[in-house]
Amino acid sequence: MTQSNRQILLVSRPEGAASVDNFRLVETPLAPLAEGQVRVRNHWLSLDPYMRGRMNDSKSYAAPQPLDAVMIGGTAGEVVESLNRKFKVGDRVVGMAGWQEYGTSDGSDLHVVETKHVPLAAYLGPVGMPGATAWYGLNRIIAPQAGQTVVVSAASGAVGSVVGQLAKRAGCHAVGIAGGAEKCRYVVETLGFDACVDYKAGDLYQQLKAATPQGVDGYFENVGGDVLNATLARMNAGGRIAVCGMIAGYDGEPIPLKHPQLLLTQRLLVQGFIVTEHLDVWPKALSELGALVAKKQLVYRESIAEGLENAPTAFLGMLKGQNFGKQLVKLA
Amino acid sequence: MTQSNRQILLVSRPEGAASVDNFRLVETPLAPLAEGQVRVRNHWLSLDPYMRGRMNDSKSYAAPQPLDAVMIGGTAGEVVESLNRKFKVGDRVVGMAGWQEYGTSDGSDLHVVETKHVPLAAYLGPVGMPGATAWYGLNRIIAPQAGQTVVVSAASGAVGSVVGQLAKRAGCHAVGIAGGAEKCRYVVETLGFDACVDYKAGDLYQQLKAATPQGVDGYFENVGGDVLNATLARMNAGGRIAVCGMIAGYDGEPIPLKHPQLLLTQRLLVQGFIVTEHLDVWPKALSELGALVAKKQLVYRESIAEGLENAPTAFLGMLKGQNFGKQLVKLA
């Protein structure tokens, strides 16, 4: 069967802010499968902040995304053709096929998932990389005890929403930071956080102080910049900061940490991490998270763009916080 | 026996830089000992950067030094009178008697030490708090592996000199940062570091880059400010930073961390600590360090001010890096 595959390539690197001009949509014929290969029709593409880092040709935690190649990205879909005995047509799989409608591989990057109790797209969200990220940063770095205060930035997002809900389940006082009244309301009323600070509404530090009367023991950092500065000033002695994202600085304008001496005076632990370097915890994390999703004990929300052609715009919007929940692209 | 005791009190808090006017020398009669008390003639007073933090009335890792009270400080001396059966006249002891010639206590703060193989003053240096600080930060936070690069700032100082020598013994490439050609020469030629960067001589980052061709895996931070910024930019992925001192910021002018995003992109661990919160490691640390000093396998250097009355000037000089090695005051 001859079909064509639509793909989005990175064709130039951003100078300052990323723009739609950095991407190009192309249509490519699908070659026949070779022995051992699998072809997946991707139903869902995940858009994540780390992709912005890959667009730069600079020292980061991974090699830069090559130019004129399909943009990297997590995907979930269905096997439509298989010359690999480990996969059969109809299998639901997650992988890293990138920004394209069809993925073709030897299968080593694919995992078959069950979709009776857990929706396929959830494997790109709470039961996928964002969920594992939340689980690792909270349990392995912050390691909160019942009664402690845990703050998470980008609290309504794919990672932050899981962090806060897991913190609540651990008996903590969970406080979110998010942009806008609507997101904050969602964080408290739907996700069940104890409080949420709207960084767009007035003095961030004063709001945070009011929301964390006992100070902050654990901080899950998804944002950086002013939010990090404000939270750092609320940290209790012995506090732990899991640094997962620095979205505020991705466009090449680093925002300084104003008071590094607090690291010493409060004896803080700060640990930057990327969850793909901790694959050993994924089975445990995803099994716990999958069970919670199946029992509807973990709430999550998706922001869905329709069609591959809209992926760049959705991605740029996400970098500006315009999404509300896990940003996905529905490919078919 | 009636004697008088000379003491130095903190009489005002610094506004900006500390000055001699913040201190006052007083002469106080010694009261007769009560049952259970011990009197120590202090031979040595230790001057340490942490004291500057205590002079402020602000959130720090310890309660502020009270005004009109004897300045806090580590001391080493000899028991001259005892109504406590655990101590006899002539015992050599270390304690925290503060900036005064005689200490009187119930003995609970005193430890008897052996001075046959280890000089008394060394218990305020490599076999005391500075040594334990070096040992903890290096072994418990940086935890270097043979072949890795360890950098330490204030490398000729009481803590830094031990960090580098222990790193060398662990098979690491040890690089110091110090101020001036003389200190740098000492760090390399006498202490045995592989290299030393003079932060007073030209571009710190470029010098550091040349001295750390494999990047930096562990950084022991005694200084903060520009030195921290330069070293942070050399950190390898998975690097560890033990934050022991932020002397550059003690005078109330915090120096921002310019590129906090490196915490994420390099997945760094940063841990602020104060060694008095880790008393469990002291016996092991001091036993190892004492054995090295006794065997003359650990080199250290002292900067000695003569007489209690010179303690404030020596202290202020130390904050500016004018000392060369562990700053002590010889009291008698």
Side-chain angles (χ1 to χ4, degrees):
Chain A
M1 70 186 173
T2 308
Q3 285 168 304
S4 79
N5 184 19
R6 296 202 306 161
Q7 306 176 308
I8 289 179
L9 315 180
L10 182 73
V11 293
S12 62
R13 302 203 183 277
E15 298 182 9
S19 86
V20 291
D21 298 334
N22 300 130
F23 303 99
R24 184 180 303 149
L25 178 69
V26 298
E27 198 153 339
T28 317
L30 285 172
L33 286 193
E35 189 55 38
Q37 284 191 321
V38 190
R39 179 154 294 151
V40 178
R41 178 62 170 101
N42 296 319
H43 295 323
W44 298 100
L45 165 65
S46 173
L47 296 178
D48 299 279
Y50 76 84
M51 295 166 173
R52 179 63 187 83
R54 302 291 179 92
M55 292 172 75
N56 291 340
D57 187 14
S58 63
K59 201 173 185 180
S60 183
Y61 38 61
Q65 160 75 36
L67 286 180
D68 300 318
V70 176
M71 266 296 288
I72 190 174
T75 46
E78 183 177 350
V79 173
V80 290
E81 203 182 340
S82 177
L83 295 179
N84 182 318
R85 60 182 175 75
K86 292 188 192 149
F87 299 91
K88 61 180 192 298
V89 171
D91 279 352
R92 306 293 164 135
V93 293
V94 292
M96 287 291 291
W99 297 25
Q100 57 183 341
E101 291 177 339
Y102 288 89
T104 303
S105 78
D106 65 2
S108 60
D109 60 322
L110 300 176
H111 299 274
V112 177
V113 294
E114 76 83 17
T115 52
K116 206 161 91 182
H117 302 290
V118 174
L120 180 60
Y123 290 102
L124 298 177
V127 194
M129 190 173 71
T133 301
W135 192 98
Y136 183 86
L138 185 74
N139 290 311
R140 294 298 164 91
I141 298 174
I142 294 175
Q145 296 180 351
Q148 292 191 328
T149 296
V150 173
V151 172
V152 55
S153 55
S156 68
V159 174
S161 62
V162 176
V163 171
Q165 290 179 82
L166 293 182
K168 280 303 294 176
R169 296 184 73 85
C172 296
H173 183 74
V175 176
I177 301 174
E182 189 193 358
K183 285 183 180 174
C184 276
R185 201 161 40 238
Y186 169 75
V187 164
V188 173
E189 293 177 6
T190 306
L191 299 178
F193 285 47
D194 295 288
C196 186
V197 168
D198 179 0
Y199 68 79
K200 293 180 176 171
D203 186 313
L204 175 59
Y205 178 76
Q206 290 303 329
Q207 288 187 77
L208 188 63
K209 189 175 174 185
T212 59
Q214 310 296 322
V216 177
D217 302 294
Y219 179 43
F220 194 108
E221 176 59 279
N222 284 311
V223 174
D226 298 334
V227 173
L228 175 55
N229 279 313
T231 312
L232 198 62
R234 290 296 301 155
M235 295 302 292
N236 289 330
R240 292 83 64 199
I241 302 179
V243 180
C244 168
M246 285 272 182
I247 200 169
Y250 279 165
D251 274 342
E253 289 289 329
I255 299 176
L257 197 78
K258 283 186 194 160
H259 295 280
Q261 75 275 20
L262 291 169
L263 297 168
L264 175 59
T265 55
Q266 298 297 84
R267 290 88 80 209
L268 301 179
L269 168 78
V270 181
Q271 174 76 68
F273 75 105
I274 170 169
V275 74
T276 47
E277 292 180 341
H278 303 281
L279 295 176
D280 55 311
V281 311
W282 284 52
K284 179 174 168 63
L286 298 188
S287 144
E288 288 182 25
L289 293 163
L292 291 174
V293 167
K295 288 184 283 181
K296 303 201 187 308
Q297 291 176 351
L298 192 71
V299 181
Y300 62 100
R301 177 168 174 147
E302 294 161 344
S303 198
I304 297 173
E306 294 282 340
L308 183 69
E309 64 279 12
N310 288 315
T313 312
F315 174 65
L316 299 173
M318 181 201 64
L319 292 180
K320 296 187 184 120
Q322 291 167 1
N323 60 313
F324 188 165
K326 169 65 197 166
Q327 182 67 56
L328 296 171
V329 182
K330 193 167 195 320
L331 299 178
Chain B
M1 72 187 173
T2 308
Q3 284 168 305
S4 78
N5 184 18
R6 296 201 307 160
Q7 307 175 308
I8 290 179
L9 315 181
L10 181 73
V11 293
S12 61
R13 304 204 183 275
E15 298 183 10
S19 87
V20 291
D21 297 333
N22 299 130
F23 304 99
R24 183 181 304 148
L25 179 69
V26 297
E27 199 152 339
T28 317
L30 286 171
L33 286 194
E35 190 55 41
Q37 285 191 320
V38 190
R39 180 154 294 152
V40 178
R41 177 64 169 104
N42 297 320
H43 294 323
W44 299 99
L45 165 66
S46 174
L47 296 178
D48 299 278
Y50 77 84
M51 295 167 173
R52 178 63 187 82
R54 303 291 179 92
M55 293 172 74
N56 292 338
D57 187 12
S58 62
K59 201 172 184 179
S60 183
Y61 38 62
Q65 160 75 36
L67 287 180
D68 300 316
V70 176
M71 268 295 289
I72 190 174
T75 46
E78 183 177 350
V79 172
V80 290
E81 204 182 340
S82 177
L83 295 180
N84 182 319
R85 60 183 175 74
K86 292 187 192 148
F87 300 91
K88 60 179 192 298
V89 171
D91 279 351
R92 306 293 164 136
V93 293
V94 293
M96 287 291 290
W99 297 24
Q100 57 183 342
E101 292 177 339
Y102 289 89
T104 304
S105 78
D106 66 2
S108 59
D109 59 321
L110 300 176
H111 299 274
V112 177
V113 294
E114 76 83 17
T115 52
K116 206 161 90 180
H117 303 290
V118 175
L120 181 60
Y123 290 101
L124 299 176
V127 194
M129 191 174 70
T133 301
W135 192 99
Y136 183 86
L138 185 74
N139 290 310
R140 294 298 163 92
I141 298 173
I142 295 175
Q145 296 180 352
Q148 292 190 328
T149 296
V150 173
V151 172
V152 56
S153 55
S156 69
V159 174
S161 61
V162 176
V163 171
Q165 291 179 83
L166 292 182
K168 281 303 294 176
R169 296 184 72 85
C172 296
H173 182 73
V175 176
I177 300 174
E182 188 193 0
K183 285 183 180 175
C184 275
R185 200 159 44 239
Y186 168 75
V187 165
V188 173
E189 294 177 6
T190 306
L191 300 179
F193 285 47
D194 295 288
C196 187
V197 168
D198 179 0
Y199 68 79
K200 293 180 176 171
D203 186 315
L204 175 59
Y205 177 76
Q206 290 302 329
Q207 289 188 77
L208 188 63
K209 189 175 174 185
T212 59
Q214 310 295 322
V216 177
D217 302 293
Y219 178 43
F220 195 107
E221 176 59 279
N222 284 311
V223 173
D226 298 335
V227 173
L228 175 55
N229 279 313
T231 312
L232 197 62
R234 290 296 301 155
M235 294 303 293
N236 290 329
R240 291 83 62 199
I241 301 180
V243 180
C244 168
M246 285 272 181
I247 201 169
Y250 279 166
D251 274 341
E253 289 290 328
I255 300 176
L257 197 78
K258 282 186 194 161
H259 295 280
Q261 75 275 21
L262 291 169
L263 296 168
L264 175 59
T265 56
Q266 299 297 83
R267 290 88 79 208
L268 302 179
L269 168 79
V270 181
Q271 174 76 68
F273 75 104
I274 170 168
V275 74
T276 47
E277 291 181 341
H278 304 281
L279 294 176
D280 55 310
V281 311
W282 284 53
K284 179 173 167 66
L286 297 188
S287 144
E288 287 181 28
L289 293 163
L292 291 173
V293 166
K295 289 184 282 183
K296 301 199 186 311
Q297 290 175 352
L298 191 72
V299 181
Y300 63 100
R301 177 168 173 146
E302 293 160 346
S303 199
I304 297 173
E306 294 282 341
L308 182 69
E309 64 279 12
N310 289 314
T313 312
F315 174 66
L316 299 173
M318 181 200 66
L319 291 180
K320 296 186 183 121
Q322 291 168 2
N323 61 311
F324 189 165
K326 169 65 197 165
Q327 182 67 57
L328 296 172
V329 181
K330 194 167 194 320
L331 299 179

